[in-house]
């Protein structure tokens, strides 16, 4: 049986400019908006995204979306079919051993769960921001390593066009390095 390898690419820019099936939002557990990627997505996507988020809060996620999980809404006016909202962990410096691994696993889970949900939705393309590396202060070098490793492992048909959309040169350079290191 023929198989296709996933194409993982880096884009320097604003995630709300992407034309893909799924745009991933670095949300918070309230699902009701915020700054950074979250603010940009709600601004550009319009009120229907927030309306869907409110419905999710009123139904399945009354206590909010737990860290590491993902849910889908309409993409409103964005050039995408869906926004997948995921909640990254807030970085806690100084953790070691099992606690540090558990924290990293939550970040990996954001990428893995977003891709699983996107596949369920029949998506072939997905754009990720560098989850947790802004307001949630995850160091970029490590955030990039976790992102690239997890996406490599999770990429499978039909979701073969996976993009990381990096807002600035520093983020782009860290993801480039992570891709090279991952081989
Ligand atoms: N396109 C691509 N990347 C962006 C954009 C954009 N339009 N805007 C920022 N970045 P953040 P987090 C980069 O803070 O750390 C919100 O208030 C940014 O430079 O958006 O997961 C939520 O509501 C950084 O590298 O997400 C939560 O409360 C990366 O995207 C909280 O922030 C992620 O930064 C989530 O924090």
């Amino acid at each position: 049986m023929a198989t296709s390898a996933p194409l993982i690419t880096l884009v320097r820019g604003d995630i709300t400019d992407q034309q893909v099936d799924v745009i991933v939002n670095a949300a918070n557990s309230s699902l009701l908006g915020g700054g950074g990627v979250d603010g940009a997505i709600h601004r550009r996507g319009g009120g229907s995204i927030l309306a869907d988020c409110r419905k999710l809060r009123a139904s399945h996620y009354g206590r909010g979306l737990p860290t590491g999980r993902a849910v889908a809404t309409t993409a409103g006016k964005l050039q995408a079919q869906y926004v997948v909202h995921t909640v990254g962990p807030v970085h806690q410096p100084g953790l070691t051993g099992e606690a540090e691994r558990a924290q990293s696993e939550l970040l990996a889970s954001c990428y893995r769960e977003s891709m699983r949900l996107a596949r369920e939705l029949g998506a072939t393309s997905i754009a990720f921001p560098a989850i947790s590396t802004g307001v949630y202060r995850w160091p970029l070098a490590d955030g990039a390593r976790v992102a690239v490793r997890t996406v490599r492992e999770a990429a499978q048909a039909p979701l073969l066009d996976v993009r990381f959309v990096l807002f600035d040169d520093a983020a782009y350079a860290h993801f480039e390095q992570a891709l090279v290191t991952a081989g």
Side-chain angles (χ1 to χ4, degrees), residues 13-16 26-28 33-38 40 129-137 140 165-168:
D14 183 329
I15 198 163
T16 64
N28 61 61
V37 172
D38 202 5
I131 299 167
S132 284
T133 66
V135 172
Y136 286 176
R137 299 185 309 276
L140 262 170
V165 184
L166 294 324
F167 213 35
D168 56 32

Side-chain angles (χ1 to χ4, degrees), residues 3 9 13 21 26 54 67 74 83 86 92 100 111 113-114 116 122 139 160 164:
T3 54
T9 51
D21 292 334
R54 287 192 198 285
T67 304
T74 176
V83 171
T86 190
Q92 296 175 57
E100 186 185 20
Y111 289 99
E113 288 297 300
S114 297
R116 185 183 59 75
L160 295 171
F164 291 109

